[in-house]
Structures are given as structure tokens and as C-alpha cells.
Amino acid sequence: MNRFIGRTRRSWFGASLIAALSLLAFAGGAQAAEQAALKPDAALTSIGTMEQTLRPQGVPSNFVVTPNGYFDPSCVQEVHEGEELHKDGNIRRVDGSLRKPALCSQPHFALNGTRIEPNGLVTFPAAHNPTINGWVIDTNYSSSVAIGRIVASWKVPSNPTTSASQVIYFFPGLEQLPNVQSILQPVLGWNGYNDHKWTMASWNCCVSGTTYHSSPINVSVGDSITGDTYSNCSPGVTCATWKIVSKDVTKGTSTTLTTNPYATLNWVFGGVLEAYGVSSCNHYPSNGSIAFTSIAVYNLNQVQIANPPWTKDFPVGSTSPQCNYGITATASTTTLVY
């Protein structure tokens, strides 16, 4: 206000009023931005959009579908580009300040219907809905050394033959063994945001019952895409900062989640098919398979592991429908057939 000294009182008052209004507007804008940042992500596909017979048993209809199971919308947080998710759940903004999402007070449901309370207590499901809801097929292995990076390429497959309320996810990823604390995954999803389109986002679950994802990007059938999950520190260093980059190479767009992995990562997934609300083989992409190629796994010294011993895994078991599921794998490729 010193620059207004010496002007008439009227001019001073007018300028002061304008400045005050500007500050109020700025404060209001900042507050609105803050509220928007804290607003739960409600854009994901909800259980309520599924046909009644396809909904998982015991899960509230307002819960949303994520690559990590079913969550109350208040327990899903979007981490925007340039922000960083810390181990305690705080999110560091681009300007260095911190925002703390509201503490998740609702349980979430694992892929098999297990109810998990915010305090970690679990209740196992009494019955299993025969509709496919969860992991279907994948390749994975348990590493004897800490992992520092996994990168893979694949193409956006055809749209499903039948576009209903199903949600389909494909991704490589990293977890911990024997005590899983998080999963880092660059995810390609169909209808993930109730849009009947293909999108990509990077995910990490679950700090105090909350699952986090980056801002999604749109991708198109036939696009070449990559997922790159890596330590952001110097080789040989156990790192608290990782990046999960989901990139559309064809379009030149990407979305990144910067996050803490919470513990050493040693459970490696070369390619995963995860599905929700699938009651017909026509609910899968019409081309019937997807190939993860140029898969490269590195240790903390950023030395590539020559021959990852991929195990073929069929979590779907005998659950209906059975869609000629198959897996072929080499050191650098995983092809999932459905």
C-alpha cells in the first residue's frame, strides 16, 4: 500500500478497495482450487452402473472400480501432474506446499470380495459371484534382489465386441513380498471412467485405505503405449521417490505419478489382465489377445535382469465365463489370450 501514499483519500480508498477485492478473489480462487484438489475423484466407473446380476456381492453400489478393487469415492485421490505422493499420504504440490487428503474412513473390497477396514481388519466373503471380478491371467515372478525398474510396451487393443458396463485393465507392475504394502502400475483401462473408451493412468495403492492415481489421458485403438515404473534416485540407492509413467507413444502424451513405494519392491508382473463385470467372452477386446513386448526389468543398480523367470498364472481359475485363456512368455514378452 505504500505506493498509494500521497494520493488523494478517494484515490487511496478506491485503490484499496480494488486491492482488497483482488485479494479476496485470489483467496477465494485459492480456496476453490484447494477444495477442488481435495474433492474425491468421482469420475471412475461405479458399481451402480453395472447390471444388477453382475454386481459384486456385498459391495455398496456407490463404490467405484479401480485396478486395486472397490473403493468409496472419498478413498480415491487424483495426484496431479507435477505433484508428489509421500509415504504418509501427504501430496506435495508443484509450489512445494503440502495438501493432505481427507483420511479414508470407509472400508474397501479386494478383488475377491474381501472387506478391508481402514484399520486393516479383514472380513472374507461368504459367497463368490461367478461373474469375473478381479485378476484373470498374468505373468509374474518373485525376485531375489530389489527391483529398480520395469518397462514394457504394448498396443491399445480393439474395443470389446459388446460394450456394456464391464471394466477391463491391462498393466505391468511391481509389489512387495511377503508383505504387500502397495502396487505400482501404469494402467490401460477400458471404461475405467464410465466413458466406454480407452484411457491410461498411473496408480499406487493403498496408503491408509486410499488408492491414488495420476490424471488420466485418452488413448485410441492401435496406439503404441508404454509403461515405465522406476526409481528416481541414483543407481544402488534404496529410493523413496519413484515415477510411474503411462505414455501414449503414438500421440506423444503421458501421465506420471510420482510416489513413495513404501517398501522394497521384489514381486514383478510382466503383464496382467484384470476385469470387472465380465459375464461373456464378448466383453473382452475383440482381437482376443494382447502382447506386452520389450519388457525389461532392472535391479537397483539399474542393471538389466537377463532372464526373468516368468510364471504363468491363472487367478481366474474355473470362474465363468471361460474364454480360452492362455499365456505365452519369453524373457521380454508376455502374450495374454482371452
Side-chain angles (χ1 to χ4, degrees), residues 14-28:
S16 298
L17 180 60
I18 292 171
L21 290 173
S22 297
L23 286 172
L24 285 172
F26 176 82

Side-chain angles (χ1 to χ4, degrees), residues 116-184:
I116 305 172
E117 304 294 338
N119 62 6
L121 293 176
V122 301
T123 303
F124 294 100
H128 185 268
N129 191 318
T131 301
I132 291 176
N133 289 300
W135 285 32
V136 180
I137 50 179
D138 69 87
T139 59
N140 72 87
Y141 82 96
S142 174
S143 173
S144 60
V145 298
I147 300 301
R149 182 187 184 194
I150 181 172
V151 58
S153 300
W154 66 108
K155 289 184 179 294
V156 180
S158 303
N159 294 337
T161 303
T162 300
S163 179
S165 58
Q166 78 271 31
V167 177
I168 310 292
Y169 292 123
F170 295 103
F171 56 88
L174 295 172
E175 295 187 29
Q176 301 89 3
L177 278 176
N179 299 314
V180 176
Q181 298 183 44
S182 62
I183 176 169
L184 278 57

Side-chain angles (χ1 to χ4, degrees), residues 65-212:
V65 181
T66 81
N68 312 116
Y70 310 101
F71 284 76
D72 185 273
S74 66
C75 299
V76 181
Q77 290 290 329
E78 182 173 322
V79 181
H80 303 286
E81 201 73 21
E83 294 185 328
E84 181 177 313
L85 172 62
H86 290 179
K87 188 174 183 178
D88 59 4
N90 280 317
I91 298 171
R92 183 181 61 79
R93 298 184 182 90
V94 177
D95 65 6
S97 63
L98 296 177
R99 64 180 174 95
K100 175 73 172 179
L103 188 67
C104 177
S105 62
Q106 300 297 317
H108 67 274
F109 292 81
L111 309 176
N112 64 356
T114 299
R115 178 186 173 110
I116 305 172
E117 304 294 338
N119 62 6
L121 293 176
V122 301
T123 303
F124 294 100
H128 185 268
N129 191 318
T131 301
I132 291 176
N133 289 300
W135 285 32
V136 180
I137 50 179
D138 69 87
T139 59
N140 72 87
Y141 82 96
S142 174
S143 173
S144 60
V145 298
I147 300 301
R149 182 187 184 194
I150 181 172
V151 58
S153 300
W154 66 108
K155 289 184 179 294
V156 180
S158 303
N159 294 337
T161 303
T162 300
S163 179
S165 58
Q166 78 271 31
V167 177
I168 310 292
Y169 292 123
F170 295 103
F171 56 88
L174 295 172
E175 295 187 29
Q176 301 89 3
L177 278 176
N179 299 314
V180 176
Q181 298 183 44
S182 62
I183 176 169
L184 278 57
Q185 46 190 161
V187 180
L188 170 68
W190 163 263
N191 196 35
Y193 295 85
N194 196 28
D195 50 9
H196 295 91
K197 296 179 180 178
W198 290 105
T199 55
M200 287 193 81
S202 301
W203 289 78
N204 190 2
C205 182
C206 308
V207 180
S208 301
T210 299
T211 186
Y212 298 84

